[in-house]
PDB file of all heavy atoms in Angstrom:
ATOM      1  N   ALA A   1     117.064 109.308  94.936  1.00 97.00           N
ATOM      2  CA  ALA A   1     117.218 110.307  93.879  1.00 97.00           C
ATOM      3  C   ALA A   1     116.692 111.674  94.301  1.00 97.00           C
ATOM      4  O   ALA A   1     116.887 112.661  93.593  1.00 97.00           O
ATOM      5  CB  ALA A   1     116.487 109.850  92.611  1.00 97.00           C
ATOM      6  N   SER A   2     116.009 111.725  95.446  1.00 95.00           N
ATOM      7  CA  SER A   2     115.455 112.999  95.908  1.00 95.00           C
ATOM      8  C   SER A   2     116.574 113.901  96.421  1.00 95.00           C
ATOM      9  O   SER A   2     117.638 113.437  96.839  1.00 95.00           O
ATOM     10  CB  SER A   2     114.432 112.763  97.018  1.00 95.00           C
ATOM     11  OG  SER A   2     115.064 112.173  98.140  1.00 95.00           O
ATOM     12  N   VAL A   3     116.311 115.176  96.393  1.00 92.00           N
ATOM     13  CA  VAL A   3     117.307 116.175  96.814  1.00 92.00           C
ATOM     14  C   VAL A   3     116.819 116.879  98.078  1.00 92.00           C
ATOM     15  O   VAL A   3     115.723 117.441  98.100  1.00 92.00           O
ATOM     16  CB  VAL A   3     117.554 117.211  95.695  1.00 92.00           C
ATOM     17  CG1 VAL A   3     118.565 118.257  96.158  1.00 92.00           C
ATOM     18  CG2 VAL A   3     118.024 116.518  94.425  1.00 92.00           C
ATOM     19  N   ASN A   4     117.622 116.799  99.127  1.00 93.00           N
ATOM     20  CA  ASN A   4     117.327 117.490 100.392  1.00 93.00           C
ATOM     21  C   ASN A   4     116.000 117.051 101.019  1.00 93.00           C
ATOM     22  O   ASN A   4     115.306 117.852 101.645  1.00 93.00           O
ATOM     23  CB  ASN A   4     117.333 119.010 100.193  1.00 93.00           C
ATOM     24  CG  ASN A   4     118.672 119.526  99.725  1.00 93.00           C
ATOM     25  OD1 ASN A   4     119.723 119.041 100.142  1.00 93.00           O
ATOM     26  ND2 ASN A   4     118.654 120.511  98.832  1.00 93.00           N
ATOM     27  N   LYS A   5     115.654 115.794 100.841  1.00 97.00           N
ATOM     28  CA  LYS A   5     114.457 115.250 101.469  1.00 97.00           C
ATOM     29  C   LYS A   5     114.812 113.939 102.147  1.00 97.00           C
ATOM     30  O   LYS A   5     115.564 113.133 101.608  1.00 97.00           O
ATOM     31  CB  LYS A   5     113.344 115.040 100.446  1.00 97.00           C
ATOM     32  CG  LYS A   5     112.798 116.336  99.856  1.00 97.00           C
ATOM     33  CD  LYS A   5     111.601 116.080  98.960  1.00 97.00           C
ATOM     34  CE  LYS A   5     110.992 117.384  98.460  1.00 97.00           C
ATOM     35  NZ  LYS A   5     109.773 117.161  97.647  1.00 97.00           N
ATOM     36  N   LYS A   6     114.223 113.706 103.324  1.00 97.00           N
ATOM     37  CA  LYS A   6     114.578 112.519 104.102  1.00 97.00           C
ATOM     38  C   LYS A   6     113.380 111.922 104.827  1.00 97.00           C
ATOM     39  O   LYS A   6     113.503 111.387 105.928  1.00 97.00           O
ATOM     40  CB  LYS A   6     115.674 112.870 105.124  1.00 97.00           C
ATOM     41  CG  LYS A   6     117.082 112.908 104.569  1.00 97.00           C
ATOM     42  CD  LYS A   6     117.629 111.504 104.360  1.00 97.00           C
ATOM     43  CE  LYS A   6     119.105 111.527 104.004  1.00 97.00           C
ATOM     44  NZ  LYS A   6     119.657 110.166 103.881  1.00 97.00           N
ATOM     45  N   HIS A   7     112.199 111.984 104.196  1.00 98.00           N
ATOM     46  CA  HIS A   7     110.995 111.472 104.852  1.00 98.00           C
ATOM     47  C   HIS A   7     110.163 110.694 103.852  1.00 98.00           C
ATOM     48  O   HIS A   7     109.974 111.126 102.709  1.00 98.00           O
ATOM     49  CB  HIS A   7     110.166 112.630 105.422  1.00 98.00           C
ATOM     50  CG  HIS A   7     108.868 112.198 106.049  1.00 98.00           C
ATOM     51  ND1 HIS A   7     107.648 112.748 105.713  1.00 98.00           N
ATOM     52  CD2 HIS A   7     108.586 111.257 107.000  1.00 98.00           C
ATOM     53  CE1 HIS A   7     106.690 112.179 106.423  1.00 98.00           C
ATOM     54  NE2 HIS A   7     107.223 111.268 107.206  1.00 98.00           N
ATOM     55  N   ILE A   8     109.680 109.522 104.266  1.00 98.00           N
ATOM     56  CA  ILE A   8     108.818 108.700 103.412  1.00 98.00           C
ATOM     57  C   ILE A   8     107.593 108.267 104.210  1.00 98.00           C
ATOM     58  O   ILE A   8     107.619 108.220 105.442  1.00 98.00           O
ATOM     59  CB  ILE A   8     109.558 107.457 102.878  1.00 98.00           C
ATOM     60  CG1 ILE A   8     110.196 106.659 104.011  1.00 98.00           C
ATOM     61  CG2 ILE A   8     110.593 107.850 101.835  1.00 98.00           C
ATOM     62  CD1 ILE A   8     110.818 105.355 103.574  1.00 98.00           C
ATOM     63  N   ILE A   9     106.525 107.957 103.478  1.00 98.00           N
ATOM     64  CA  ILE A   9     105.262 107.561 104.097  1.00 98.00           C
ATOM     65  C   ILE A   9     104.784 106.253 103.471  1.00 98.00           C
ATOM     66  O   ILE A   9     104.836 106.086 102.248  1.00 98.00           O
ATOM     67  CB  ILE A   9     104.182 108.638 103.886  1.00 98.00           C
ATOM     68  CG1 ILE A   9     104.589 109.958 104.551  1.00 98.00           C
ATOM     69  CG2 ILE A   9     102.832 108.171 104.431  1.00 98.00           C
ATOM     70  CD1 ILE A   9     103.633 111.105 104.264  1.00 98.00           C
ATOM     71  N   THR A  10     104.319 105.342 104.301  1.00 98.00           N
ATOM     72  CA  THR A  10     103.695 104.110 103.818  1.00 98.00           C
ATOM     73  C   THR A  10     102.535 103.770 104.752  1.00 98.00           C
ATOM     74  O   THR A  10     102.168 104.577 105.614  1.00 98.00           O
ATOM     75  CB  THR A  10     104.718 102.965 103.721  1.00 98.00           C
ATOM     76  OG1 THR A  10     104.146 101.873 103.014  1.00 98.00           O
ATOM     77  CG2 THR A  10     105.184 102.498 105.093  1.00 98.00           C
ATOM     78  N   SER A  11     101.926 102.593 104.565  1.00 98.00           N
ATOM     79  CA  SER A  11     100.789 102.224 105.415  1.00 98.00           C
ATOM     80  C   SER A  11     101.112 100.990 106.253  1.00 98.00           C
ATOM     81  O   SER A  11     102.070 100.262 105.975  1.00 98.00           O
ATOM     82  CB  SER A  11      99.544 101.963 104.559  1.00 98.00           C
ATOM     83  OG  SER A  11      99.526 100.635 104.081  1.00 98.00           O
ATOM     84  N   ALA A  12     100.258 100.748 107.233  1.00 98.00           N
ATOM     85  CA  ALA A  12     100.483  99.644 108.170  1.00 98.00           C
ATOM     86  C   ALA A  12     100.157  98.285 107.583  1.00 98.00           C
ATOM     87  O   ALA A  12     100.448  97.265 108.216  1.00 98.00           O
ATOM     88  CB  ALA A  12      99.643  99.862 109.429  1.00 98.00           C
ATOM     89  N   ILE A  13      99.570  98.235 106.385  1.00 97.00           N
ATOM     90  CA  ILE A  13      99.168  96.937 105.827  1.00 97.00           C
ATOM     91  C   ILE A  13      99.927  96.594 104.549  1.00 97.00           C
ATOM     92  O   ILE A  13      99.475  95.778 103.748  1.00 97.00           O
ATOM     93  CB  ILE A  13      97.644  96.889 105.566  1.00 97.00           C
ATOM     94  CG1 ILE A  13      97.218  97.983 104.581  1.00 97.00           C
ATOM     95  CG2 ILE A  13      96.881  96.998 106.875  1.00 97.00           C
ATOM     96  CD1 ILE A  13      95.781  97.830 104.103  1.00 97.00           C
ATOM     97  N   GLU A  14     101.089  97.202 104.360  1.00 97.00           N
ATOM     98  CA  GLU A  14     101.856  96.920 103.157  1.00 97.00           C
ATOM     99  C   GLU A  14     102.480  95.527 103.186  1.00 97.00           C
ATOM    100  O   GLU A  14     102.755  94.967 104.256  1.00 97.00           O
ATOM    101  CB  GLU A  14     102.974  97.960 102.971  1.00 97.00           C
ATOM    102  CG  GLU A  14     102.472  99.375 102.791  1.00 97.00           C
ATOM    103  CD  GLU A  14     101.601  99.546 101.561  1.00 97.00           C
ATOM    104  OE1 GLU A  14     101.981  99.036 100.480  1.00 97.00           O
ATOM    105  OE2 GLU A  14     100.546 100.206 101.673  1.00 97.00           O
ATOM    106  N   HIS A  15     102.731  94.995 102.014  1.00 96.00           N
ATOM    107  CA  HIS A  15     103.462  93.734 101.866  1.00 96.00           C
ATOM    108  C   HIS A  15     104.900  93.946 102.337  1.00 96.00           C
ATOM    109  O   HIS A  15     105.430  95.059 102.245  1.00 96.00           O
ATOM    110  CB  HIS A  15     103.440  93.329 100.384  1.00 96.00           C
ATOM    111  CG  HIS A  15     103.931  91.945 100.116  1.00 96.00           C
ATOM    112  ND1 HIS A  15     105.274  91.637 100.021  1.00 96.00           N
ATOM    113  CD2 HIS A  15     103.267  90.779  99.902  1.00 96.00           C
ATOM    114  CE1 HIS A  15     105.408  90.351  99.760  1.00 96.00           C
ATOM    115  NE2 HIS A  15     104.209  89.800  99.694  1.00 96.00           N
ATOM    116  N   PRO A  16     105.557  92.902 102.854  1.00 96.00           N
ATOM    117  CA  PRO A  16     106.956  93.052 103.264  1.00 96.00           C
ATOM    118  C   PRO A  16     107.861  93.590 102.161  1.00 96.00           C
ATOM    119  O   PRO A  16     108.884  94.234 102.457  1.00 96.00           O
ATOM    120  CB  PRO A  16     107.356  91.621 103.656  1.00 96.00           C
ATOM    121  CG  PRO A  16     106.084  90.981 104.081  1.00 96.00           C
ATOM    122  CD  PRO A  16     105.024  91.558 103.194  1.00 96.00           C
ATOM    123  N   ALA A  17     107.507  93.344 100.902  1.00 97.00           N
ATOM    124  CA  ALA A  17     108.329  93.838  99.792  1.00 97.00           C
ATOM    125  C   ALA A  17     108.310  95.350  99.698  1.00 97.00           C
ATOM    126  O   ALA A  17     109.162  95.944  99.025  1.00 97.00           O
ATOM    127  CB  ALA A  17     107.847  93.237  98.469  1.00 97.00           C
ATOM    128  N   VAL A  18     107.355  95.989 100.361  1.00 98.00           N
ATOM    129  CA  VAL A  18     107.328  97.451 100.476  1.00 98.00           C
ATOM    130  C   VAL A  18     107.842  97.884 101.840  1.00 98.00           C
ATOM    131  O   VAL A  18     108.673  98.795 101.956  1.00 98.00           O
ATOM    132  CB  VAL A  18     105.907  97.995 100.241  1.00 98.00           C
ATOM    133  CG1 VAL A  18     105.769  99.448 100.721  1.00 98.00           C
ATOM    134  CG2 VAL A  18     105.544  97.913  98.769  1.00 98.00           C
ATOM    135  N   MET A  19     107.370  97.232 102.876  1.00 98.00           N
ATOM    136  CA  MET A  19     107.742  97.652 104.222  1.00 98.00           C
ATOM    137  C   MET A  19     109.237  97.513 104.490  1.00 98.00           C
ATOM    138  O   MET A  19     109.859  98.398 105.105  1.00 98.00           O
ATOM    139  CB  MET A  19     106.951  96.840 105.259  1.00 98.00           C
ATOM    140  CG  MET A  19     107.140  97.324 106.689  1.00 98.00           C
ATOM    141  SD  MET A  19     106.636  99.041 106.937  1.00 98.00           S
ATOM    142  CE  MET A  19     104.850  98.873 106.808  1.00 98.00           C
ATOM    143  N   GLN A  20     109.838  96.436 104.023  1.00 98.00           N
ATOM    144  CA  GLN A  20     111.254  96.226 104.311  1.00 98.00           C
ATOM    145  C   GLN A  20     112.174  97.249 103.630  1.00 98.00           C
ATOM    146  O   GLN A  20     113.115  97.731 104.260  1.00 98.00           O
ATOM    147  CB  GLN A  20     111.660  94.792 103.949  1.00 98.00           C
ATOM    148  CG  GLN A  20     111.078  93.734 104.879  1.00 98.00           C
ATOM    149  CD  GLN A  20     111.466  93.964 106.328  1.00 98.00           C
ATOM    150  OE1 GLN A  20     112.611  94.294 106.639  1.00 98.00           O
ATOM    151  NE2 GLN A  20     110.506  93.811 107.225  1.00 98.00           N
ATOM    152  N   PRO A  21     111.951  97.620 102.356  1.00 98.00           N
ATOM    153  CA  PRO A  21     112.751  98.713 101.789  1.00 98.00           C
ATOM    154  C   PRO A  21     112.559 100.028 102.545  1.00 98.00           C
ATOM    155  O   PRO A  21     113.513 100.802 102.715  1.00 98.00           O
ATOM    156  CB  PRO A  21     112.247  98.822 100.352  1.00 98.00           C
ATOM    157  CG  PRO A  21     111.702  97.478 100.037  1.00 98.00           C
ATOM    158  CD  PRO A  21     111.130  96.963 101.333  1.00 98.00           C
ATOM    159  N   CYS A  22     111.326 100.282 103.025  1.00 98.00           N
ATOM    160  CA  CYS A  22     111.087 101.486 103.818  1.00 98.00           C
ATOM    161  C   CYS A  22     111.879 101.441 105.122  1.00 98.00           C
ATOM    162  O   CYS A  22     112.475 102.441 105.550  1.00 98.00           O
ATOM    163  CB  CYS A  22     109.598 101.646 104.104  1.00 98.00           C
ATOM    164  SG  CYS A  22     108.600 102.090 102.677  1.00 98.00           S
ATOM    165  N   LEU A  23     111.890 100.278 105.759  1.00 98.00           N
ATOM    166  CA  LEU A  23     112.652 100.131 106.997  1.00 98.00           C
ATOM    167  C   LEU A  23     114.153 100.243 106.745  1.00 98.00           C
ATOM    168  O   LEU A  23     114.902 100.740 107.596  1.00 98.00           O
ATOM    169  CB  LEU A  23     112.321  98.796 107.658  1.00 98.00           C
ATOM    170  CG  LEU A  23     110.894  98.676 108.213  1.00 98.00           C
ATOM    171  CD1 LEU A  23     110.619  97.257 108.694  1.00 98.00           C
ATOM    172  CD2 LEU A  23     110.672  99.672 109.348  1.00 98.00           C
ATOM    173  N   GLN A  24     114.606  99.807 105.557  1.00 98.00           N
ATOM    174  CA  GLN A  24     116.015  99.959 105.225  1.00 98.00           C
ATOM    175  C   GLN A  24     116.377 101.439 105.116  1.00 98.00           C
ATOM    176  O   GLN A  24     117.432 101.866 105.594  1.00 98.00           O
ATOM    177  CB  GLN A  24     116.330  99.239 103.907  1.00 98.00           C
ATOM    178  CG  GLN A  24     117.766  99.427 103.411  1.00 98.00           C
ATOM    179  CD  GLN A  24     118.809  98.975 104.417  1.00 98.00           C
ATOM    180  OE1 GLN A  24     118.597  98.025 105.171  1.00 98.00           O
ATOM    181  NE2 GLN A  24     119.950  99.659 104.434  1.00 98.00           N
ATOM    182  N   LEU A  25     115.509 102.212 104.486  1.00 98.00           N
ATOM    183  CA  LEU A  25     115.753 103.654 104.420  1.00 98.00           C
ATOM    184  C   LEU A  25     115.781 104.265 105.816  1.00 98.00           C
ATOM    185  O   LEU A  25     116.592 105.154 106.101  1.00 98.00           O
ATOM    186  CB  LEU A  25     114.688 104.336 103.562  1.00 98.00           C
ATOM    187  CG  LEU A  25     114.796 104.083 102.056  1.00 98.00           C
ATOM    188  CD1 LEU A  25     113.569 104.635 101.349  1.00 98.00           C
ATOM    189  CD2 LEU A  25     116.061 104.723 101.480  1.00 98.00           C
TER     190      LEU A  25
END
């Protein structure tokens, strides 16, 4: 839903339910 943005930040200890959507992006 963001406009003209293409960067996200997460941490190295996230659950796969967070890390995998980030990797999909």
